[in-house]
Amino acid sequence: MMNADLRRERAAATFQPELLTHILDGGADRTRRRKELEALVINDPDFQHEDLNFLSRSQRYEQAIRKSSLMVMKLREYGIADPEEIYWFKSFVHRGRPEPLDLHLGMFLPTLLTQATPEQQDRFFMPAWNLEIIGTYAQTEMGHGTHLRGLETTATYDPATQEFILNSPTVTSIKWWPGGLGKTSNHAIVLAQLYTQGQCKGLHAFIVPIRQLGTHEPLPGITVGDIGPKFGYDEMDNGYLKMDNFRIPRENMLMKYAQVEPDGTYVKPLSDKLTYGTMVFIRSLIVGDSARSLSRACTIAIRYSAVRHQSELKPGEPEPQILDYQTQQYKLFPLLATAYAFHFVGAYIKDTYRRISGDINEGDLSELPELHALTAGLKAFTSWAANAGIEECRMACGGHGYSRCSGIPDIYVTFTPSCTYEGENTVMMLQTARFLVKSYTQVSSGQRVTGMVSYLNDLSRQRIQPQHVAARTVTVRLNDPVSLVEAYKARAAWFVEAAAKNLEAELHRRSKEDAWNKTSVDLVQASEAHCHYVIVKLFTAKLAEISNAAVRAVLTELCLLYALYGISKNTGDFLQAGILTDAQITQVKQRVKELLAVIRPNAVALVDSFDFHDIHLGSVLGRYDGNVYENMFEWAKKSPLNKTEVHESFHKHLKPMQAKL
Amino acid sequence: VPAYSQGSALGGVNPDLASERQTPSFSVEKLTALLDGGEENTRIRRAVVEAIESDPVFSRENQYFQSQNEKYEAAVRKAVHLQKKMHEMGWTENGPEFKYIYRALSGEVAFLLHTVFMRSISVLGSDKQITKWIPLATQYQLIGSYAQTELGHGTYLQGLETTAVFDIATQEFILNTPKISAMKWWPGDMGRSATHAVVFAQLDIQGKCYGVHPFIVQIRSLWDHSLCPGITAGDIGPKMNFDHIDNGYLMLQNVRVPRENMLSKFCEVQPDGTYVRRGSQQINYFTMTALRVALISHEAVIPLMKACTIAIRYSVVRRQSKLKPGEEEAKILDFQTQQEKLLPHVAAAYAFHFINNYLEDLFNRGYEEIQRENFDMLPELHAFSSGFKAMVTQYCASAVEACLRACGGHGYSLLSGLPSLCTRILASCIYEGENTILFLQTARFLIKCFMAASAGHPVPPSVTYLAAVKPGKCPAKNKFDFLSPDTYTEAYQHAAVRLISSTAAKLQDLIQSGVKKHDAWNECTVQLVQAVKAHCHYITVKNFAETVERLETKGGIQRIMKHLCDLFALHGIFSNAGVFLHDGYISGAQMDMVTASYLDLLAVIRKDAVPLVDAFDFTDKTLNSALGSYDGQVYQRLYEWAQKSPTNTQMNPAYERYLKPLLHKKLSKL
């Protein structure tokens, strides 16, 4: 039986959710295939287990390992080989959560493929493919993260024995955080400073066995373990690794590019831009992940807001659905629009990467710097926004959002590290800023720039005119997404120019590095404005591709809401840059509230379109059938504190006290 | 185990942290005394903290490795031991030590709802009821809880569905949970501990409903703790935090309690079923609002101070990337972006500490008035408590999270102490009134006062500024003018008045154009919330500036507090630029001056960052953080603590069962 409120909501929708699902998946056939894979997992008794919320960390790790082992076997049994299909299958098996083999599958194997010599591939790849070798990727150290050159682990070449001697010379150099390192892996690709013939040659990768094959005991000279509990990631054994004069053969350095010859002669690699490719790829995955995690939280919060009734809107009438309150719509619908925006941005980056990866393999790297700069910024922008958005969704569910049965706490703790890993967000924003400032400098010196920054070309033309860019009036039509893209473009240009000029002014006073640091708050703002513009632009561009009129209509409303809400939250920028007037700002705010009411009837259908299976969603509040309260009660009864009617604390503590007092 | 990680001999204070403490611009000890409200208070607080922390029963050492069951048991053990400790130390509930106990325990103790249970009886019960129940509760002959919230109903009390039907024949009330959404859900101490609860239910006498009333209901046997007949109760399952509290559910099926168990100071059901109402409930109203003020310090400001302490200390120990080529990697606190992430929150912690002092004074005065049966201050007190509870908890919750994220990867480790601060403070945005609803309650008060002020009627002192609406422009000429409290306080005042008056005007317009009152209200709520935040922000800035004015100039205290006040105020303008630019009160050029002054301040306060958090005076045991300890031996501590994790001290159960068959090619047997 479906909850009556949700049934009414679904009947009132103005479009067919399946059509929108097809757009999100990239075609009806992709949706069909996704659902096939989902059914394979959901109907498989091997992948069933107790609610993870009631398990200890150790039990969760064990379940994850169990499922991972089966997953690898079944992927091969079913012949699933397409990377996207593997990603889906894995995410259904693990319900969107991390698992201990992530690093083996996602980093160890790919690194072997791209950086190992043919001889090394023969030696390591098949055993690793068959899971006799389970590996991880040990880069981050306790004292060193995003700034790779600061890593302290050393690998010193000994020509006498033709071995590398690996050492963790200080406590800060202990490898810390790599997933699967603590308890699962028997090998690791270790990044270390290479020393040969008395000279440091910088960071290189080494294949290091860490546990004895057979007994799984740590090898002599290796100290390895789990780094303890975290905010989330319970099923992952993030680990530490300390090496004391640990020797590996010369052939264990990954030598496809750089090499150390038997006598210790170092041979330099040809180009180091190639590593960009992998980073772009992984950061593009995070953009997609931001969209999916926020979509899950929105699905839960919006369905629950349609089921939950509270207080009075009109005296004497029954308590209304909380989704009818303007404040609730204002909390949730901009996030819903954001989730859609990020979906399209994620798809765009993935397509662009796919398009140019052919060029990369043929050595054409011309488009890579811009894509690299763009994905760094978008990774930061979307993960920050999704992180805050998930939390807002949780708060929008009131007290029950705080219970783990809502599923949102889990989404949050799983997602939030993406603000830090694969490049800390502030650092990412500053990388994008470097590219923006560089482009601005090119334009100033008369060169033209292309791609997403081409709007900077217009700045040079204005400079001929006496007035400052801010004085330029843009005619903004508030109901036209294309016109709003122009407003965001003007804001980005304004910020980039302001940051570049401030940097210029600082450069007269101090060193390059100090000037950069003294301008970095401005630079981050410029990057944010640039990313915001790109997102509004990509969302708007997507609308033209949609053939179904009803779907296009509802997505246009969401796109308008996304763009106008962004303006209303950053009115200072648009006012100060002279892009919008006070009167227009008032209209923007009014229009945002009108759009809330327009979107309201389609809210549930819009989250249904994300098409999360209940098992994948993992939320009592967000169930498709809306039977929230009955199932909360059923769920709570399974809590470990309820295992016995009278808790042992009663006999140990309460009763003796009562007797004494 | 390597030599550098043995025992507590971690090698003294990390030089990177020691150098930060060498030349503070002010006396740290004096600032601590200021925060405590005098040296004597500092002495008492330290003595209480010392007594608690030196007692192994109160240890929090293994907290990050414990299961829900273990945490619950530890909280019960501590609560029981605390009774003994208080007796031993001669601490009493009315003594000066009492308020520091909770701080010393970091709130990780059971039976907090027992106190609420007792207070509700004291406030809502008749003298006879107080005489009967309070001694039993004081001696822990019973353990109480407070069962108000239901599965389907929270902040809106009239919506509760639990029923209490009076049966004249037996002189009893029959309590029932008529449907699933009426089940009591969330009350602390109720899942496993409580024997009694004050249950709120709709009173029904001969078919007529008289609204929600409190009843004392026994739920567990005093002898063997088994559930009483008709009672279904248990734990509601894992939450984001508060693992140590057994938040519970409670279902009642024809549970009978005697007529005397309805708390009857204000209303009584007589034996013949006559319903009598007496006296004013306003004092009860006051208790609820006072509770909101009481939580600001413990549940929001102190956690923010802890998070700032951890993040700032870690930021001078952590080195990352190079600021200048050829030099050592820089302390991350030397990066402007890191300063901008953290220093405004340090300023906010001080701002909120002072606003909390202000609110406490106001409530003490209010209480004296109420004792004299003068209820004039109540609406203002209610508006204050709602607005500031919502504003401070909301700000602190996001600030604590910002501190977590400012610590990079290590912030995400439970051992940093930040995740647990973060998940705990999040709950404060909901309990004792969901924040959006509280903002809107304050909004009602502000709109009412604005209307009254416009019509020339008198209004309470905190809102008289609403009557003095004067259009104008910010007079600042250069960036230094924005370091004048008058300049920024007026800007805040202007913004608050503009937001309140424009929303009030819109509300009026809507009503005059024929929109029904409640619909018009709902259409204005988003703007109303914004207006209330501006109001509270204004009061906070004003109070901070006035507090600085009164400080003694000795010991450099006034100077550093002035910097923090400026930073707090300018941060607010910088991050809400649109609000101030909107009607041109601050011009674009002036906004650039705000930004310049704001960024200048970061560099100034940076020098005192560590002394400013040292002044909060948290012991290492209180912080319980591998990143935030006083000695800054961050990495050694992380390594040492991680080794104590059960994942390292116990056998790996997955190896024999799953990994071994996997590695040895026996997958088919899985």
Side-chain angles (χ1 to χ4, degrees):
Chain A
M1 267 291 284
M2 194 191 291
N3 169 292
D5 286 316
L6 279 187
R7 198 167 45 223
R8 252 196 319 279
E9 295 287 340
R10 286 177 177 134
T14 64
F15 70 100
Q16 281 178 274
E18 304 81 54
L19 296 180
L20 186 45
T21 306
H22 297 161
I23 293 169
L24 291 171
D25 282 327
D29 52 330
R30 302 300 295 154
T31 302
R32 191 183 43 74
R33 181 62 179 150
R34 177 175 57 78
K35 288 176 111 65
E36 265 172 30
L37 294 173
E38 190 174 73
L40 278 180
V41 173
I42 284 166
N43 299 328
D44 187 339
D46 282 348
F47 291 126
Q48 313 297 316
H49 51 77
E50 201 182 335
D51 190 316
L52 295 174
N53 284 301
F54 301 128
L55 301 185
S56 71
R57 217 193 126 208
S58 173
Q59 290 167 321
R60 285 172 86 145
Y61 167 71
E62 199 177 321
Q63 279 298 343
I65 279 277
R66 184 183 70 80
K67 288 199 293 183
S68 293
S69 320
L70 288 163
M71 175 184 79
V72 170
M73 195 170 69
K74 294 194 183 200
L75 277 171
R76 288 172 197 174
E77 191 182 314
Y78 298 140
I80 300 168
D82 172 63
E84 190 164 6
E85 293 192 357
I86 293 177
Y87 178 85
W88 280 339
F89 193 81
K90 184 173 117 46
S91 117
F92 297 140
V93 168
H94 290 284
R95 304 176 190 179
R97 307 195 49 78
E99 51 109 353
L101 293 188
D102 274 347
L103 274 276
H104 177 74
L105 302 172
M107 287 300 287
F108 190 77
L109 288 175
T111 308
L112 285 182
L113 282 178
T114 54
Q115 297 187 35
T117 63
E119 180 275 328
Q120 289 171 326
Q121 298 214 5
D122 284 348
R123 211 155 25 107
F124 293 109
F125 192 80
M126 277 326 283
W129 179 251
N130 291 331
L131 295 171
E132 286 156 38
I133 287 178
I134 296 178
T136 179
Y137 190 82
Q139 175 177 301
T140 302
E141 294 173 1
M142 183 140 46
H144 308 275
T146 307
H147 182 66
L148 286 187
R149 275 163 296 167
L151 297 179
E152 295 177 274
T153 302
T154 57
T156 310
Y157 185 63
D158 177 0
T161 59
Q162 303 216 3
E163 288 171 321
F164 290 104
I165 310 163
L166 285 137
N167 268 302
S168 310
T170 59
V171 68
T172 47
S173 73
I174 296 175
K175 294 290 175 188
W176 201 269
W177 280 112
L181 173 64
K183 297 280 139 181
T184 312
S185 300
N186 51 29
H187 279 68
I189 289 178
V190 170
L191 270 84
Q193 304 286 357
L194 166 64
Y195 283 86
T196 182
Q197 300 177 333
Q199 277 183 317
C200 179
K201 298 290 179 187
L203 274 190
H204 289 77
F206 302 84
I207 302 176
V208 181
I210 54 176
R211 287 177 186 270
Q212 184 73 52
L213 297 182
T215 64
H216 212 59
E217 291 293 333
L219 293 165
I222 295 284
T223 311
V224 63
D226 173 88
I227 64 163
K230 296 141 296 190
F231 202 17
Y233 270 57
D234 278 355
E235 36 282 284
M236 182 67 100
D237 53 325
N238 297 84
Y240 58 76
L241 171 67
K242 189 176 174 306
M243 292 167 293
D244 295 298
N245 289 319
F246 188 75
R247 288 174 171 262
I248 56 170
R250 184 184 68 91
E251 295 79 13
N252 275 23
M253 175 174 137
L254 286 173
M255 289 209 269
K256 184 163 173 186
Y257 299 110
Q259 285 163 19
V260 172
E261 292 178 349
D263 65 350
T265 309
Y266 177 73
V267 185
K268 262 210 286 212
L270 292 173
S271 158
D272 51 359
K273 262 194 184 160
L274 280 165
T275 46
Y276 271 17
T278 328
M279 283 196 281
V280 169
F281 178 68
I282 290 178
R283 287 173 194 161
S284 79
L285 287 183
I286 295 180
V287 175
D289 222 34
S290 304
R292 270 182 299 276
S293 301
L294 183 57
S295 306
R296 283 171 72 188
C298 282
T299 304
I300 296 166
I302 288 183
R303 284 185 185 156
Y304 176 62
S305 297
V307 170
R308 177 81 172 180
H309 290 252
Q310 199 67 32
S311 307
E312 278 183 330
L313 258 177
K314 296 173 195 170
E317 289 195 5
E319 295 184 69
Q321 291 166 287
I322 56 175
L323 199 55
D324 284 334
Y325 289 95
Q326 191 191 48
T327 42
Q328 188 77 355
Q329 296 167 6
Y330 188 69
K331 281 178 200 169
L332 295 176
F333 295 169
L335 296 174
L336 180 62
T338 305
Y340 274 95
F342 291 179
H343 267 293
F344 299 135
V345 174
Y348 167 84
I349 300 182
K350 205 170 66 187
D351 290 346
T352 312
Y353 177 72
R354 201 175 287 162
R355 182 170 58 74
I356 70 169
S357 58
D359 304 342
I360 298 173
N361 285 340
E362 282 159 32
D364 174 7
L365 305 174
S366 58
E367 282 192 73
L368 208 48
E370 186 191 355
L371 189 64
H372 177 248
L374 185 65
T375 45
L378 287 173
K379 179 261 178 187
F381 190 99
T382 58
S383 61
W384 265 335
N387 185 65
I390 293 164
E391 176 55 15
E392 278 177 64
C393 286
R394 188 191 61 71
M395 295 249 225
C397 293
H400 294 330
Y402 194 76
S403 166
R404 298 251 285 269
C405 80
S406 75
I408 308 185
D410 227 30
I411 298 175
Y412 182 80
V413 295
T414 305
F415 181 75
T416 194
S418 43
C419 295
T420 310
Y421 62 55
E422 301 303 335
E424 198 279 329
N425 277 356
T426 303
V427 178
M428 293 298 98
M429 281 296 186
L430 288 171
Q431 282 187 7
T432 304
R434 259 189 218 284
F435 180 78
L436 293 174
V437 169
K438 207 169 129 196
S439 303
Y440 176 82
T441 316
Q442 281 177 340
V443 169
S444 305
S445 63
Q447 284 172 272
R448 290 187 66 76
V449 291
T450 56
M452 287 288 184
V453 288
S454 56
Y455 60 84
L456 294 173
N457 293 325
D458 300 342
L459 287 172
S460 63
R461 255 178 288 139
Q462 280 150 27
R463 194 158 295 105
I464 306 168
Q465 294 152 15
Q467 81 236 73
H468 181 251
V469 60
R472 188 173 61 124
T473 46
V474 187
T475 320
V476 180
R477 296 178 307 281
L478 299 183
N479 276 324
D480 177 6
V482 177
S483 177
L484 296 174
V485 173
E486 291 302 310
Y488 274 93
K489 185 197 274 186
R491 169 177 174 245
W494 187 78
F495 265 119
V496 173
E497 178 164 51
K501 285 187 167 164
N502 288 349
L503 181 63
E504 190 64 39
E506 291 287 348
L507 279 170
H508 293 306
R509 269 175 256 154
R510 46 186 114 237
S511 74
K512 213 166 76 186
E513 294 75 21
D514 281 340
W516 181 263
N517 190 28
K518 281 272 172 196
T519 322
S520 52
V521 169
D522 299 335
L523 289 164
V524 169
Q525 278 182 329
S527 292
E528 281 177 335
H530 175 71
C531 293
H532 211 156
Y533 152 67
V534 170
I535 294 169
V536 173
K537 182 182 154 86
L538 292 175
F539 198 165
T540 305
K542 187 75 194 173
L543 299 175
E545 296 172 17
I546 294 160
S547 52
N548 182 285
V551 173
R552 192 173 55 243
V554 70
L555 280 183
T556 305
E557 288 154 9
L558 283 178
C559 179
L560 277 171
L561 179 65
Y562 181 75
L564 291 170
Y565 179 80
I567 294 175
S568 79
K569 283 281 137 183
N570 297 284
T571 54
D573 305 350
F574 291 91
L575 286 167
Q576 201 183 355
I579 302 162
L580 295 172
T581 62
D582 293 354
Q584 284 176 312
I585 293 289
T586 308
Q587 284 170 23
V588 167
K589 291 187 172 173
Q590 186 54 34
R591 191 72 190 110
V592 165
K593 283 180 290 179
E594 287 164 15
L595 281 167
L596 298 178
V598 172
I599 291 166
R600 168 68 186 86
N602 280 323
V604 169
L606 279 166
V607 298
D608 285 350
S609 301
F610 293 135
D611 199 26
F612 290 109
H613 192 282
D614 273 353
I615 290 187
H616 190 61
L617 204 54
S619 165
V620 179
L621 301 189
R623 293 169 61 93
Y624 185 81
D625 68 10
N627 293 322
V628 169
Y629 297 129
E630 302 79 341
N631 286 291
M632 273 185 86
F633 188 33
E634 289 309 311
W635 180 86
K637 284 193 234 168
K638 296 179 202 147
S639 168
L641 255 73
N642 290 330
K643 288 245 159 81
T644 56
E645 192 70 71
V646 176
H647 193 267
E648 57 182 337
S649 292
F650 173 73
H651 302 289
K652 266 160 95 173
H653 303 292
L654 288 178
K655 210 166 150 88
M657 170 179 74
Q658 285 168 337
K660 264 186 256 164
L661 285 165
Chain B
V1 180
Y4 51 70
S5 65
Q6 273 170 1
S8 57
L10 293 174
V13 175
N14 181 314
D16 278 338
L17 196 45
S19 66
E20 298 284 337
R21 296 187 172 116
Q22 262 162 15
T23 49
S25 79
F26 63 92
S27 153
V28 175
E29 192 62 22
K30 265 197 193 327
L31 185 52
T32 301
L34 171 72
L35 289 170
D36 281 322
E39 285 166 25
E40 176 61 8
N41 286 345
T42 302
R43 195 192 56 73
I44 297 173
R45 177 175 56 73
R46 286 180 178 161
V48 171
V49 170
E50 166 62 22
I52 298 269
E53 289 186 347
S54 61
D55 186 330
V57 180
F58 294 119
S59 165
R60 294 162 66 221
E61 202 187 323
N62 288 317
Q63 146 189 49
Y64 301 127
F65 305 127
Q66 286 172 331
S67 70
Q68 192 187 359
N69 262 323
E70 287 163 344
K71 284 184 185 165
Y72 165 69
E73 187 181 329
V76 170
R77 187 182 66 229
K78 288 183 201 176
V80 169
H81 186 67
L82 181 62
Q83 299 308 312
K84 200 173 131 203
K85 191 84 185 171
M86 285 180 66
H87 184 74
E88 247 173 56
M89 302 296 296
W91 299 335
T92 67
E93 303 200 357
N94 302 317
E97 295 88 0
F98 191 69
K99 66 175 170 180
Y100 299 122
I101 296 176
Y102 187 77
R103 169 172 164 145
L105 292 167
S106 292
E108 276 149 22
V109 60
F111 306 157
L112 297 178
L113 267 285
H114 184 70
T115 325
V116 179
F117 171 84
M118 285 171 66
R119 189 168 46 221
S120 58
I121 293 174
S122 310
V123 175
L124 303 172
S126 65
D127 292 343
K128 209 168 144 192
Q129 287 168 328
I130 294 173
T131 322
K132 173 178 175 188
W133 294 101
I134 293 299
L136 289 171
T138 310
Q139 293 164 32
Y140 282 90
Q141 300 288 59
L142 56 85
I143 292 163
S145 178
Y146 180 85
Q148 179 178 300
T149 303
E150 295 174 359
L151 195 42
H153 307 275
T155 308
Y156 180 70
L157 283 190
Q158 288 109 295
L160 296 180
E161 294 178 287
T162 304
T163 57
V165 178
F166 185 57
D167 178 359
I168 298 184
T170 60
Q171 293 286 301
E172 288 168 322
F173 294 104
I174 310 162
L175 282 100
N176 267 299
T177 304
K179 55 203 244 207
I180 187 117
S181 56
M183 193 164 10
K184 295 293 175 189
W185 200 272
W186 282 110
D189 297 336
M190 195 172 79
R192 313 253 63 186
S193 305
T195 60
H196 287 68
V198 169
V199 174
F200 284 78
Q202 301 283 359
L203 169 63
D204 178 312
I205 309 171
Q206 290 167 332
K208 190 178 167 203
C209 179
Y210 288 84
V212 174
H213 288 72
F215 301 85
I216 299 179
V217 180
Q218 179 169 359
I219 59 175
R220 288 193 175 86
S221 151
L222 286 172
W223 174 242
D224 63 5
H225 217 60
S226 61
L227 291 171
C228 295
I231 300 281
T232 309
D235 174 86
I236 64 161
K239 299 140 293 187
M240 288 182 85
N241 196 323
F242 290 93
D243 277 357
H244 62 288
I245 299 286
D246 52 324
N247 296 85
Y249 60 76
L250 171 68
M251 195 153 61
L252 304 145
Q253 280 157 312
N254 291 319
V255 173
R256 287 173 171 264
V257 300
R259 189 177 65 88
E260 295 75 21
N261 278 25
M262 181 175 115
L263 293 176
S264 56
K265 179 158 180 185
F266 301 109
C267 343
E268 193 183 9
V269 177
Q270 292 179 340
D272 65 350
T274 312
Y275 178 82
V276 185
R277 189 181 281 280
R278 63 169 101 85
S280 162
Q281 289 223 40
Q282 284 187 309
I283 180 88
N284 173 33
Y285 206 48
F286 178 78
T287 320
M288 284 200 318
T289 57
L291 212 60
R292 283 184 191 140
V293 173
L295 76 86
I296 289 177
S297 170
H298 277 302
E299 303 297 347
V301 183
I302 290 181
L304 175 59
M305 288 171 168
K306 287 183 186 171
C308 285
T309 307
I310 296 168
I312 294 274
R313 286 181 182 163
Y314 177 62
S315 294
V316 299
V317 169
R318 177 76 172 184
R319 289 175 175 272
Q320 197 67 43
S321 307
K322 293 181 181 178
L323 265 173
K324 290 169 202 166
E327 285 190 4
E328 191 184 2
E329 288 187 65
K331 293 178 176 180
I332 57 175
L333 196 59
D334 286 328
F335 290 91
Q336 191 190 43
T337 43
Q338 185 76 355
Q339 293 164 11
E340 212 266 330
K341 278 179 201 172
L342 293 177
L343 299 180
H345 298 320
V346 176
Y350 280 93
F352 294 146
H353 174 81
F354 294 128
I355 198 70
N356 182 57
N357 285 353
Y358 171 81
L359 292 172
E360 279 177 3
D361 285 349
L362 196 73
F363 270 74
N364 289 341
R365 261 186 292 138
Y367 189 63
E368 284 165 23
E369 290 301 316
I370 284 163
Q371 301 285 46
R372 277 184 248 137
E373 300 274 310
N374 171 8
F375 298 109
D376 292 351
M377 273 178 83
L378 259 182
E380 192 185 13
L381 291 178
H382 178 244
F384 259 113
S385 71
S386 306
F388 279 101
K389 181 269 179 183
M391 182 228 194
V392 178
T393 55
Q394 192 155 315
Y395 186 101
C396 291
S398 51
V400 168
E401 209 222 307
C403 290
L404 185 152
R405 283 201 270 146
C407 292
H410 294 325
Y412 192 76
S413 167
L414 287 197
L415 309 180
S416 76
L418 291 165
S420 47
L421 283 171
C422 190
T423 48
R424 185 178 167 115
I425 197 172
L426 289 174
S428 70
C429 297
I430 297 159
Y431 58 62
E432 301 302 338
E434 195 277 332
N435 280 354
T436 302
I437 295 176
L438 293 186
F439 277 131
L440 290 173
Q441 287 184 3
T442 307
R444 272 193 205 281
F445 169 80
L446 286 180
I447 292 290
K448 219 161 131 187
C449 292
F450 178 77
M451 298 298 190
S454 310
H457 298 306
V459 293
S462 63
V463 285
T464 45
Y465 78 95
L466 291 174
V469 198
K470 40 175 191 274
K473 302 273 177 211
C474 172
K477 299 261 187 307
N478 56 47
K479 68 174 180 178
F480 303 107
D481 289 345
F482 278 103
L483 301 178
S484 147
D486 287 345
T487 306
Y488 54 67
T489 310
E490 266 163 41
Y492 273 97
Q493 188 190 83
H494 181 88
V497 172
R498 179 177 68 74
L499 288 169
I500 294 165
S501 64
S502 67
T503 316
K506 183 182 161 193
L507 195 59
Q508 285 298 94
D509 285 354
L510 283 171
I511 292 169
Q512 271 161 15
S513 69
V515 179
K516 289 206 185 94
K517 233 176 164 170
H518 38 262
D519 287 330
W521 181 261
N522 193 28
E523 274 187 49
C524 292
T525 44
V526 167
Q527 279 158 301
L528 286 165
V529 169
Q530 207 192 6
V532 176
K533 285 183 187 166
H535 166 76
C536 293
H537 210 151
Y538 159 59
I539 306 273
T540 310
V541 167
K542 182 165 163 263
N543 177 64
F544 200 165
E546 287 169 0
T547 306
V548 170
E549 192 81 339
R550 288 192 303 267
L551 290 175
E552 57 168 334
T553 48
K554 262 190 296 178
I557 301 288
Q558 194 186 39
R559 190 175 47 225
I560 185 71
M561 287 298 112
K562 165 76 169 53
H563 287 323
L564 286 183
C565 179
D566 294 347
L567 185 72
F568 178 74
L570 297 186
H571 171 72
I573 300 178
F574 174 79
S575 2
N576 300 285
V579 170
F580 296 89
L581 288 162
H582 187 89
D583 60 346
Y585 181 81
I586 286 186
S587 69
Q590 286 173 323
M591 196 52 78
D592 286 339
M593 298 170 197
V594 168
T595 308
S597 268
Y598 170 61
L599 296 178
D600 287 348
L601 276 167
L602 293 178
V604 173
I605 294 168
R606 157 70 186 90
K607 299 186 195 104
D608 281 320
V610 169
L612 278 169
V613 297
D614 283 351
F616 295 142
D617 201 27
F618 292 113
T619 62
D620 285 352
K621 282 183 178 162
T622 301
L623 291 175
N624 208 11
S625 162
L627 303 189
S629 292
Y630 188 84
D631 66 9
Q633 299 293 359
V634 168
Y635 300 121
Q636 287 86 335
R637 203 167 262 111
L638 258 181
Y639 187 40
E640 218 173 83
W641 288 13
Q643 285 166 316
K644 292 187 209 155
S645 170
T647 44
N648 292 323
T649 55
Q650 292 163 11
M651 209 189 75
N652 178 357
Y655 178 70
E656 284 298 321
R657 245 178 277 172
Y658 303 110
L659 279 178
K660 200 168 164 187
L662 179 68
L663 293 164
H664 295 196
K665 286 281 145 317
K666 290 170 196 155
L667 280 174
S668 54
K669 289 188 186 160
L670 283 171

